[in-house]
């Protein structure tokens, strides 16, 4: 089980599909980054995870639990819990 699992995520704004089949996983102490040109969906991905843009398909799991449709404040609490888990699993402290 990864701390973050994004599988075939599709999301966008109104009729515009911005993310089409995006998949990514991350374990502690990994750091992931989204790199690309303007309008490539770099900021849309976290917005889709937090439910701030229109979700159209795929799944997002944090510490094994599905977070699609979860209210942003509850997701934020889960993210804080995952951060604590990551620090416990990591052999080095990340600051």
């Amino acid at each position: 089980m990864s701390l973050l699992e994004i599988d075939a995520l599709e999301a966008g704004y109104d009729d515009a599909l911005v993310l089409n089949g995006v998949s990514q996983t991350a374990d502690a102490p990994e750091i992931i980054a989204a790199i690309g040109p303007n309008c490539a969906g770099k900021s849309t991905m976290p917005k889709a995870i937090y439910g701030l843009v229109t979700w159209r398909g795929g799944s997002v799991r944090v510490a094994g639990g599905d977070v699609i449709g979860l209210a942003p404040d509850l997701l934020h609490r889960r993210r804080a819990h995952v951060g604590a888990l990551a620090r416990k699993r990591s052999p080095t402290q990340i600051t």
Side-chain angles (χ1 to χ4, degrees), residues 5 10 16 22 30-31 41 43 54 61 74 78 82 92 94:
E5 299 174 59
E10 294 184 359
V22 173
E30 292 178 330
I31 298 171
S43 61
T54 304
R61 290 177 297 281
L74 295 176
R78 181 174 288 188
V82 168
T92 59
I94 299 173

Side-chain angles (χ1 to χ4, degrees), residues 36-69:
N38 291 344
C39 301
K42 300 176 301 292
S43 61
T44 303
M45 186 166 45
K47 289 177 186 175
I49 292 169
Y50 272 89
L52 302 175
V53 296
T54 304
W55 173 80
R56 297 200 179 126
S59 64
V60 178
R61 290 177 297 281
V62 175
D66 189 10
V67 298
I68 293 294

Side-chain angles (χ1 to χ4, degrees), residues 6-11 17-24 45 57-59:
I6 302 169
D7 186 37
L9 181 61
E10 294 184 359
L17 182 63
V18 177
L19 301 177
N20 187 10
V22 173
S23 297
Q24 181 68 56
M45 186 166 45
S59 64

Side-chain angles (χ1 to χ4, degrees), residues 66-80:
D66 189 10
V67 298
I68 293 294
L70 195 62
D73 61 326
L74 295 176
L75 179 55
H76 183 73
R77 287 186 211 144
R78 181 174 288 188
R79 185 182 61 83

